[in-house]
Structure formats: structure tokens, C-alpha cells
Amino acid sequence: MFPPNRLLQYTPKLCVAFAWICLSNFCFAQDPAAESSASSAASSAAPEKPIYANNVERDNALLTKAFTAIAKADELQPIETPDEKIITLFKNGETRQTKGALLIMHAPEVPQLWPATLENLRRNLPLYSWATMALPLPAKYQNTVPERESASASSIAAETESSAASSSAPAEAIATTSSASSEPAKPLIPRNKLISDRVEAAVAQLNKIGQFNLVVLVDNSSAPDALATLYKKINKSSTTNDTVDGPLQALILVNLQNQEPLTKEQLADIFSVGDLPVMDVFFNPDNTAQAELRRIHHAEAMRKNLKDYQQLILPSQPPVSVDDKQNFWLAKIHGFVARKAEGNELQGGSSNSSNLTMK
């Protein structure tokens, strides 16, 4: 047994310990309430909406910014399809007479980037009597962007699960309520339809401003869908050795996407118009893999009896700058369009095409 003076010595310490225990219990009891109020505040906040409805809208916005950065204001040419509005770049010829137009179609793997080789043609071919139009197409493989989940959305989902577990209401009713509160997603338009609509709108715009003598440059990723649209308008019965009765007079196929080689079936369709002059361009050094790819292209062109087919190999060269007005690439393309698609427009001809006498 403690003596009285010893007990009095420990009394202050015992009081402090008792007060600390009471205060701890009070704070612990307040924590759930604080969490509940924070959860309620978070659940009352509206969920964060995505900036773009889908990847196509995002890519179009990025391309618009990229085009605005590399082009002058008067070169921006908006076109409209049944499903969207996009920006193209049109540059008129810079000589007394414009002989035709080169329609450049490309599906960039990265929306912000437009290849320097194509941009060089777009800028500088007008110096040699040819207008140009750059038409962006949707890429085959979309870059996936992880969806952002806001804190409020997480809180709402957790609260819904908690209420569903404690409520006697059926799960179907809860799911219906949850889905009714969210906005319906826009249907994703198939890539082949986007390409078809954009090609038709671009050709219609060129025809509207008096450009009927068209040469098409298209990458291997977009060629099957883009050319299928154009080939439907070719009148093969009126096409002869020196005329093509249709919306294009020559084709430049650029093999830019190495990860998307064209199949034999696709090549058969691309080379199905025997009287259409075709330049098949390969950019890499002619190694074993490319030599085999060129052999497949050439063999299919011969099987389809393509009368005017040539391959152009561009091995490792100094990179083409966008402002280089005298380079081998530009000279080859200018020579091809001048020889294969230079002629007089057919006045008063079909609304879909014009017959051009080719040299």
C-alpha cells in the first residue's frame, strides 16, 4: 500500500493520462462522421466530362492545330461531310496557268505530325503550275488514351455500391438509374466511311473551284478505302490508252507505313484500272524485305495488265526539308504529273469527271 505522500505524488500524472485517453476516444469517434461529410461533398460534385467524345474528334483537333501551325491562313480550307467538319490545306498554282491539282491523302500515325516529304510537295509543287490539297485521313490504329476517373466519380461509384448492398431494391433498378444519369456515347463511325466521305468532299471542293485534272497521292494505309471511292466513279467503257474518264488521271502510291504492307488482294484492287498511270514509291533502303515487297507489287501490277507502272526507290538521302524547292523527290513527282496528267479540261463534260488527253 502506497503511503499518502506517495499517492499525492502520482495524482497529477494519473489525471493527465486519464484526460489523454478521453480525448483520443472523442477524436476516434469523430473520424467516421468526418469521412461521411467528405464523401457527401465529393458525391455532390458533378463528374468531370471528357474533352473529346472519341479518338477521331481528338485527332481532328490535333491535326487542325498542326495544320494551323504549318500553313498560312488563306491556305486553310474547311470541308464538311455528313458526319464531321475537318480542315484541309489548299494551295493554288503560282504560275500563269494551273495545269491541275495534286490531292495528297495521308493517315498520320501521330496526329500532330505530317511527313516532311509530303509537306514539301504541298508547299512547293504550286511553283511548277500544280495546285495542292492536303487531306488528313483517320489512322488505322488509334492511339488509346487512358480514361481519367475523377475523385467525385469514384466516390459516386463507391456510394452506389454501398447503397446497393444495404438496400432491398433489385440490382436491375439500380443499374437503370445509374445508366440513365449518364449521357449516351456517340456511335463510332467506321474508318472506311470516314475516308470515303472525306475523299468525296475533297474532290467535290476541288471541282467546285475549277480543278478537274487531279492526280492522287495516297499512303498504303489509306489506299484501299480511298481508291475504292474514286474508282467507283471511273467510266471504264470510255477509258482508253490516253484518257481516263474519271475523277483522277494518275496515281502516286507512297509506302510510308511499314507496319501495314498491302496484301495481294488489296494490290489487285488498287491496280484494277489498267489505263491509270501509277508510280509506286518506296522510301527505305532496298534491303531484302523491301525487295520482296517490291516484287509482290510489280507482279500484281503485271497480272492486272497495268499499262503504265513504275517504281521509285528513294534510298537513304539527306532529309527533305519542307522549304527545299529543288530536290530529287519534288523533281520526280513534278515530272510524273506533267507527263501523265497534263491536258485540257473537258468543258461541259460529266459532272463527275473530265476526259484528259495525256502525253
Side-chain angles (χ1 to χ4, degrees):
M1 186 172 180
F2 292 105
N5 58 346
R6 190 83 171 190
L7 183 62
L8 291 175
Q9 183 180 357
Y10 282 102
T11 298
K13 296 181 178 180
L14 292 175
C15 292
V16 171
F18 180 74
W20 183 82
I21 292 172
C22 293
L23 182 61
S24 299
N25 289 337
F26 177 77
C27 293
F28 179 78
Q30 290 298 318
D31 282 345
E35 292 179 359
S36 177
S37 61
S39 175
S40 300
S43 63
S44 62
E48 186 178 359
K49 293 184 178 180
I51 300 175
Y52 304 111
N54 50 52
N55 285 347
V56 174
E57 287 191 8
R58 180 205 64 192
D59 290 352
N60 287 346
L62 292 175
L63 272 168
T64 299
K65 292 180 181 178
F67 275 7
T68 303
I70 65 176
K72 298 179 180 178
D74 59 351
E75 296 174 357
L76 300 177
Q77 180 71 62
I79 63 173
E80 188 171 353
T81 73
D83 299 301
E84 58 180 351
K85 295 180 180 179
I86 62 171
I87 294 293
T88 66
L89 298 183
F90 176 76
K91 190 169 184 179
N92 212 341
E94 299 181 8
T95 56
R96 287 189 177 91
Q97 180 186 8
T98 299
K99 298 177 181 179
L102 178 68
L103 176 59
I104 306 171
M105 299 187 289
H106 176 54
E109 300 171 48
V110 180
Q112 301 94 318
L113 299 181
W114 189 258
T117 51
L118 302 187
E119 176 62 13
N120 178 274
L121 291 181
R122 187 197 73 80
R123 291 191 186 190
N124 300 315
L125 198 59
L127 295 172
Y128 301 94
S129 305
W130 285 80
T132 59
M133 174 178 277
L135 173 66
L137 299 178
K140 184 174 183 180
Y141 302 107
Q142 296 289 341
N143 294 323
T144 57
V145 179
E147 296 181 359
R148 296 179 299 169
E149 185 177 4
S150 62
S152 58
S154 302
S155 302
I156 293 174
E159 187 176 334
T160 303
E161 292 178 1
S162 175
S163 62
S166 61
S167 175
S168 59
E172 291 81 359
I174 295 174
T176 302
T177 304
S178 176
S179 62
S181 61
S182 61
E183 296 181 0
K186 293 183 179 180
L188 189 62
I189 304 171
R191 182 179 184 243
N192 61 341
K193 185 177 186 304
L194 285 174
I195 291 177
S196 176
D197 289 346
R198 292 187 189 185
V199 171
E200 289 189 354
V203 172
Q205 178 63 27
L206 288 170
N207 293 165
K208 183 179 179 181
I209 59 178
Q211 295 295 338
F212 293 94
N213 187 19
L214 305 183
V215 176
V216 167
L217 184 151
V218 63
D219 62 42
N220 55 300
S221 173
S222 313
D225 294 321
L227 295 177
T229 300
L230 294 171
Y231 285 1
K232 291 177 182 177
K233 298 184 178 182
I234 292 179
N235 185 359
K236 293 184 180 181
S237 62
S238 300
T239 295
T240 62
N241 291 332
D242 58 353
T243 61
V244 176
D245 186 6
L248 74 163
Q249 299 304 311
L251 170 65
I252 303 170
L253 177 64
V254 290
N255 298 278
L256 285 172
Q257 285 91 334
N258 298 325
Q259 78 283 3
E260 300 179 45
L262 293 165
T263 66
K264 291 183 179 180
E265 293 76 14
Q266 290 173 328
L267 289 170
D269 292 336
I270 293 172
F271 300 148
S272 62
V273 182
D275 294 303
L276 184 69
V278 175
M279 175 184 278
D280 204 356
V281 185
F282 299 85
F283 290 95
N284 296 322
D286 205 26
N287 53 22
T288 304
Q290 180 165 280
E292 176 63 16
L293 185 62
R294 289 197 302 106
R295 185 192 66 80
I296 294 173
H297 281 223
H298 182 270
E300 206 58 45
M302 296 304 100
R303 291 190 189 101
K304 301 303 291 186
N305 195 25
L306 197 60
K307 295 181 176 63
D308 194 341
Y309 174 79
Q310 59 180 285
Q311 291 185 350
L312 174 63
I313 306 170
L314 295 177
S316 298
Q317 296 179 356
V320 176
S321 68
V322 295
D323 292 318
D324 185 1
K325 298 175 176 59
Q326 294 180 341
N327 60 80
F328 178 75
W329 162 245
L330 177 61
K332 291 296 290 185
I333 297 302
H334 172 236
F336 177 77
V337 298
R339 291 191 307 271
K340 307 301 179 181
E342 185 176 3
N344 298 317
E345 298 174 7
L346 178 65
Q347 301 298 329
S350 171
S351 59
N352 290 334
S353 63
S354 61
N355 292 324
L356 303 173
T357 300
M358 298 182 295
K359 296 180 179 179

